Amino acid sequence: MFEKHLMVCGATGCLASGSKDVTEVLEKELSDRGIRDKFRIVMAGCPGFCEVGPIIVVYPDEVFYCRLDPENIAEIVEQHFVNGEIVEKHLFKPPKSKEVKRFYDEIPFYSKQVFNVLRNSGRVNPESIDEYIMRGGYRALTRALDMKSEDIVEEVKTAGLRGRGGAGFPSGLKWKFTLQAPGTKKYIVCNADEGDPGAFMDRSILEGDPHAIIEGMLIAGLAIGSDEGYVYCRAEYPLAIQRLKMAIEQAEEYGLLGENILGSGYNYKLNIKEGAGAFVCGEETALLASIEGKRGVPRPRPPFPAQKGLWDYPTCINNVETFANVPLILRLGAEEYAKVGTENSKGTKVFALAGKVNNTGLVEVPMGITIKEIVYDVGGGIQKDRAFKAVQIGGPSGGCLPEDKLDLPVDYDSLTQAGAIMGSGGMIAMDEFTCMVDLARYFLSFTQNESCGKCTPCREGTKRMLEILERITEGEGKLEDLDTLRDLASSIKDSSLCGLGQTAPNPVLTTLRYFEHEYREHIEEKYCRSGICKELFEYAIDPESCNGCRACTKVCAVDAISGEKKEPHKIDVELCTKCGSCVDRCRQDAIKIIRVGSEADVQG
Amino acid sequence: MKTFCHCNNHYGLENSSIILFMQNIQRNCGYLPEDELKRLADNTGTPLMDIYSIATFYKSFKLEPQGEHTITVCTGTACHLRGSGEVFEEMAAVLGVGSGGGTSEDGKYTLEKVNCLGACALAPLIVIDGHYHGNVTPGKAREMIEEHYK
């Protein structure tokens, strides 16, 4: 019998912040004291709070240790695990608060979250099928095995599940089309080619709860009459692939995959295909081409994959998160499932919250929650108390929403109306030091680079738009550029072959819609107020605020800052490379962004 | 030379496995050598032109030998906002590769960009030979290279 269960976060985020070293030291410290066998150490899935990693959650004590370092471990082992006293200084402490928070239920980051899809992530050993089963896993499958195909489809339809990959197409309807398509051979494909920069929900689900995907796909197979499936996963996610492979082996061993599943006569074979680094392969027809071993270029639809998909057989393609919702629907029943969410968007949505908020990480919230609640209550507001400028939702296909849209409920239709999209779930908060023109340029250079080149509007149109944006950020913009951008955007949207091109102009359109004044400032006044576009601003030190602490001189790589100790410093604009290191270092907020050539006004 | 393309039609190879075979070749050789691709073309009965078109379409395939150490800078949105561009510029200068990345002349380093590694909370992020380093600055990245990889 174990005395304590230690769940160490073993997902990519925490591994990058050193959770592997932490585990090694933990093993050693316990072994040295001869108590190793009383503790069960699990490299668990992601509990979401990447900002404070590495994390160890201790059960049954219900203690959440965070921001750990290998050097902290001996103390925790000695004081807590040997002497039974919680080490308070390694508990979570919200910024500006003296009170420590002991467990999930007290930490504000978790207060508005609802764990449906992430119910097991961080709470079970993702490499153990037994633990998944113990938490109610594969119960939905056994229920589905007793149901008729049509009834399973109906259940998913009634639950109101919509595709979590971006467009929000009703999943039940998609299943129905594939079920009704003539043919005996049909395929199920799970799209795990999560290419949107700033999105890592699917990775976390695969790493933290791989069996949920297998179960979801098995149920989909029963619903549409398929006996074979593919998971197409991004090669940049090696851990996710490894965990999934392991899960498939275990499921086969338990008779939950393969021939004659649980004696029902149902056969199902699940294959993994590794991507090779092409963003466009997230588009369903391109993804199918890639599985077939070809260049991953999209083709016109119709015919939709539901009629003619993989090797021309009817194919049902859903995203990782969509499949992870399926076992839940079958287990709870459609009505119970649909209690969470809004009228047209049911259930929860997982977001990867990143950018300039205090609490970055993975969050699962009920549909209908406002953006404000996500950014301020879950995300803990903007870092360093800076002003909120915008939130970007939906990655390169999405849009930027300004402050007055903070009260917008997060559901498919409200977001589309505001010009953004739900997208796969990347949500990036931005502060006053983010330039919206540069951001539009960034996303466009991304889509331009990833355009497969098959259709002209996307290949050439995005290139022209990018050239204009580059000109504007370099101070060479003209006012008529704004109209040209709008024109190009609407043609590209209307005439591109696939979703990549059709949505590529969105970041430009929404920034033009809500932040046109910044574009105009770049063009007319040659000024970038956010201090990003290097040709369009200078740094200067405000002599009133500078206390001469010399912190900035130490970080300046080109020695552009001079001044005596305790006297106001000066920046030599000729030497300054505008890297911004000094701004981040200055505690007095004395380094200001000014217009080019207006130095005299500040430094007097 | 040792060959890594063990495929031939005895195994009932389908064209759908071409990407998989290329991934295996790259895993073993570090890149896709011309000879191996020619062999793959012969063994699968696929025109070399088609093989080449696949190899150039997918970003992860390299047609040139890679450096001893690979340094990858994440340029995802969160990393971009927190200054990954500056980190990349600094790395290009330190490693002596062009401003767009690539392999250094002595074959020691390869610098590349990646779209997103999905560890946005730790932005900006760089990966050196498979080890992740979060919250880097141009200065920190330079120190890491100079201390451990020079």
Side-chain angles (χ1 to χ4, degrees):
Chain A
M1 268 303 274
F2 293 115
E3 257 177 33
K4 289 190 204 307
H5 302 260
L6 312 176
M7 315 301 278
V8 187
C9 176
T12 302
C14 277
L15 283 176
S17 30
S19 69
K20 211 166 172 199
D21 298 337
V22 165
T23 316
E24 276 166 21
V25 178
L26 185 62
E27 297 256 5
K28 186 177 173 295
E29 292 291 337
L30 291 173
S31 304
D32 286 353
R33 288 171 177 75
I35 49 174
R36 172 67 187 86
D37 51 353
K38 291 185 184 164
F39 293 82
R40 179 168 149 265
I41 301 176
V42 177
M43 287 303 267
C46 181
F49 207 171
C50 310
E51 181 75 30
V52 299
I55 295 167
I56 298 181
V57 183
V58 186
Y59 293 96
D61 310 28
E62 303 200 324
V63 175
F64 186 96
Y65 286 123
C66 58
R67 294 189 203 276
L68 295 173
D69 198 84
E71 286 158 23
N72 308 142
I73 301 303
E75 188 184 5
I76 291 178
V77 170
E78 189 61 35
Q79 191 180 322
H80 184 173
F81 301 158
V82 176
N83 296 329
E85 215 177 291
I86 294 169
V87 188
E88 289 210 347
K89 68 176 174 195
H90 296 308
L91 296 177
F92 177 72
K93 206 166 84 183
K96 284 187 245 154
S97 159
K98 286 199 179 118
E99 213 178 312
V100 291
K101 307 287 179 190
R102 177 175 159 157
F103 195 53
Y104 286 111
D105 52 352
E106 292 178 4
I107 299 173
F109 176 73
Y110 292 106
S111 62
K112 296 219 163 157
Q113 296 198 47
V114 173
F115 292 111
N116 279 353
V117 170
L118 299 176
R119 62 195 176 274
N120 290 329
S121 195
R123 289 162 185 80
V124 302
N125 179 357
E127 297 181 356
S128 156
I129 189 171
D130 293 325
E131 293 195 20
Y132 180 71
I133 294 172
M134 228 158 57
R135 301 261 302 178
Y138 290 109
R139 206 181 290 166
L141 173 70
T142 52
R143 189 171 165 228
L145 282 170
D146 290 333
M147 289 165 76
K148 279 202 297 230
S149 290
E150 290 79 5
D151 297 339
I152 303 175
V153 172
E154 202 49 45
E155 187 95 16
V156 174
K157 255 173 78 183
T158 318
L161 178 65
R162 293 173 68 172
R164 299 292 196 250
F169 190 80
S171 310
L173 212 55
K174 200 186 253 184
W175 289 20
K176 193 175 150 196
F177 293 147
T178 324
L179 171 67
Q180 287 170 345
T184 45
K185 181 76 185 174
K186 290 176 187 179
Y187 286 101
I188 303 280
V189 173
C190 173
N191 184 348
D193 192 50
E194 185 177 48
D196 277 15
F200 51 93
M201 300 74 50
D202 296 348
R203 191 206 72 211
S204 296
I205 296 170
L206 284 167
E207 284 177 0
D209 200 14
H211 285 285
I213 310 302
I214 300 178
E215 190 178 4
M217 290 181 76
L218 278 166
I219 294 167
L222 279 169
I224 66 154
S226 156
D227 62 356
E228 191 168 0
Y230 281 91
V231 179
Y232 185 90
C233 187
R234 230 182 141 209
E236 287 88 340
Y237 291 170
L239 184 63
I241 294 173
Q242 184 198 327
R243 293 248 166 95
L244 189 63
K245 273 186 185 153
M246 200 179 278
I248 290 175
E249 277 168 27
Q250 291 172 345
E252 280 170 351
E253 203 179 300
Y254 275 53
L256 292 160
L257 264 179
E259 305 272 304
N260 194 16
I261 293 168
L262 299 175
S264 63
Y266 172 46
N267 305 328
Y268 198 81
K269 185 170 185 290
L270 192 53
N271 311 289
I272 301 179
K273 277 272 175 180
E274 228 173 276
F279 175 70
V280 70
C281 289
E283 198 278 339
E284 56 182 16
T285 58
L287 186 148
L288 295 178
S290 182
I291 294 183
E292 293 173 11
K294 302 180 196 147
R295 279 166 75 96
V297 289
R299 60 159 178 78
R301 297 175 302 178
F304 287 93
Q307 279 99 37
K308 252 185 167 191
L310 202 54
W311 291 293
D312 285 347
Y313 295 109
T315 302
C316 171
I317 306 180
N318 282 124
N319 159 272
V320 171
E321 196 185 333
T322 315
F323 280 122
N325 270 284
V326 170
L328 207 70
I329 294 172
L330 269 280
R331 213 175 67 212
L332 298 174
E335 273 163 33
E336 186 65 29
Y337 175 87
K339 279 183 185 161
V340 179
T342 64
E343 199 186 339
N344 291 317
S345 306
K346 298 293 183 198
T348 58
K349 177 77 190 90
V350 184
F351 285 100
L353 186 60
K356 300 192 178 171
V357 282
N358 281 313
N359 305 333
T360 52
L362 196 71
V363 306
E364 181 172 4
V365 287
M367 297 271 194
I369 190 172
T370 64
I371 298 174
K372 196 183 209 158
E373 286 173 281
I374 300 182
V375 171
Y376 285 92
D377 298 340
V378 178
I382 303 293
Q383 287 170 349
K384 301 182 184 166
D385 280 331
R386 286 175 177 165
F388 170 90
K389 186 186 264 183
V391 59
Q392 210 282 345
I393 302 178
S397 319
C400 289
L401 302 177
E403 198 174 0
D404 63 16
K405 295 275 180 238
L406 271 176
D407 288 318
L408 200 73
V410 172
D411 63 61
Y412 290 98
D413 312 303
S414 311
L415 287 177
T416 310
Q417 231 168 22
I421 59 164
M422 180 74 85
S424 51
M427 187 179 277
I428 294 171
M430 288 166 284
D431 65 6
E432 56 201 302
F433 291 103
T434 310
C435 168
M436 302 316 278
V437 186
D438 174 70
L439 188 79
R441 186 201 57 78
Y442 166 79
F443 279 121
L444 215 65
S445 80
F446 176 84
T447 31
Q448 212 291 310
N449 203 7
E450 293 294 341
S451 167
C452 75
K454 183 171 178 175
C455 73
T456 321
C458 174
R459 184 185 66 235
E460 300 296 328
T462 54
K463 182 85 183 160
R464 297 290 93 79
M465 285 180 80
L466 178 63
E467 283 166 0
I468 295 175
L469 288 167
E470 278 172 350
R471 248 191 11 244
I472 298 177
T473 54
E474 285 161 11
E476 306 288 326
K478 298 182 287 249
L479 261 189
E480 58 262 37
D481 284 342
L482 300 185
D483 290 329
T484 318
L485 279 176
R486 287 195 177 95
D487 280 351
L488 277 168
S490 86
S491 331
I492 296 169
K493 266 177 104 95
D494 289 344
S495 56
S496 290
L497 179 60
C498 81
L500 191 153
Q502 286 156 12
T503 57
N506 281 349
V508 182
L509 285 173
T510 48
T511 46
L512 268 174
R513 179 165 157 193
Y514 299 116
F515 298 94
E516 191 179 325
H517 55 278
E518 285 199 22
Y519 281 84
R520 287 179 171 273
E521 222 165 43
H522 278 69
I523 296 170
E524 294 178 321
E525 301 172 34
K526 310 283 177 218
Y527 177 46
C528 174
R529 62 166 78 191
S530 319
I532 297 292
C533 304
K534 289 198 172 168
E535 318 289 329
L536 304 180
F537 76 97
E538 276 169 6
Y539 284 123
I541 296 174
D542 176 11
E544 303 285 306
S545 327
C546 176
N547 63 0
C549 72
R550 301 199 60 82
C552 55
T553 59
K554 288 179 194 129
V555 292
C556 183
V558 292
D559 290 329
I561 307 177
S562 58
E564 294 302 314
K565 204 171 176 185
K566 296 195 178 164
E567 295 290 326
H569 294 2
K570 261 197 158 188
I571 296 180
D572 183 344
V573 289
E574 297 294 319
L575 291 176
C576 175
T577 58
K578 301 173 186 172
C579 71
S581 305
C582 53
V583 181
D584 289 331
R585 188 54 65 94
C586 182
R587 293 212 190 107
Q588 309 302 318
D589 228 353
I591 300 170
K592 305 290 180 201
I593 293 157
I594 58 164
R595 282 161 213 267
V596 177
S598 64
E599 183 196 358
D601 305 343
V602 179
Q603 295 194 342
Chain B
M1 183 188 169
K2 197 177 167 196
T3 61
F4 291 102
C5 176
H6 302 299
C7 55
N8 64 46
N9 284 330
H10 298 305
Y11 301 115
L13 176 75
E14 292 171 35
N15 282 355
S16 70
S17 307
I18 283 178
I19 294 176
L20 188 69
F21 279 109
M22 284 159 91
Q23 283 167 336
N24 284 340
I25 295 171
Q26 183 155 303
R27 211 160 282 153
N28 287 311
C29 303
Y31 74 111
L32 299 176
E34 197 180 325
D35 288 349
E36 293 287 335
L37 291 186
K38 281 185 180 153
R39 210 183 319 272
L40 182 66
D42 287 345
N43 289 354
T44 56
T46 312
L48 186 61
M49 193 188 82
D50 289 353
I51 302 262
Y52 184 71
S53 102
I54 294 171
T56 51
F57 181 81
Y58 292 100
K59 283 222 178 84
S60 64
F61 292 132
K62 323 276 185 214
L63 294 169
E64 300 287 332
Q66 299 294 289
E68 231 174 280
H69 301 291
T70 304
I71 292 101
T72 312
V73 179
C74 178
T75 56
T77 321
C79 289
H80 173 76
L81 293 181
R82 293 197 194 169
S84 66
E86 311 277 345
V87 175
F88 190 85
E89 277 172 29
E90 180 75 11
M91 286 290 94
V94 173
L95 304 172
V97 299
S99 59
T103 304
S104 60
E105 259 174 41
D106 59 3
K108 222 171 158 193
Y109 308 102
T110 296
L111 176 67
E112 54 183 29
K113 289 180 184 176
V114 62
N115 282 340
C116 182
L117 292 162
C120 308
L122 305 167
L125 189 76
I126 67 171
V127 184
I128 306 178
D129 293 340
H131 295 283
Y132 289 64
H133 304 275
N135 297 313
V136 292
T137 58
K140 265 199 222 168
R142 174 189 281 270
E143 272 169 37
M144 261 188 286
I145 296 294
E146 282 172 354
E147 274 172 34
H148 301 290
Y149 299 94
K150 275 261 163 163

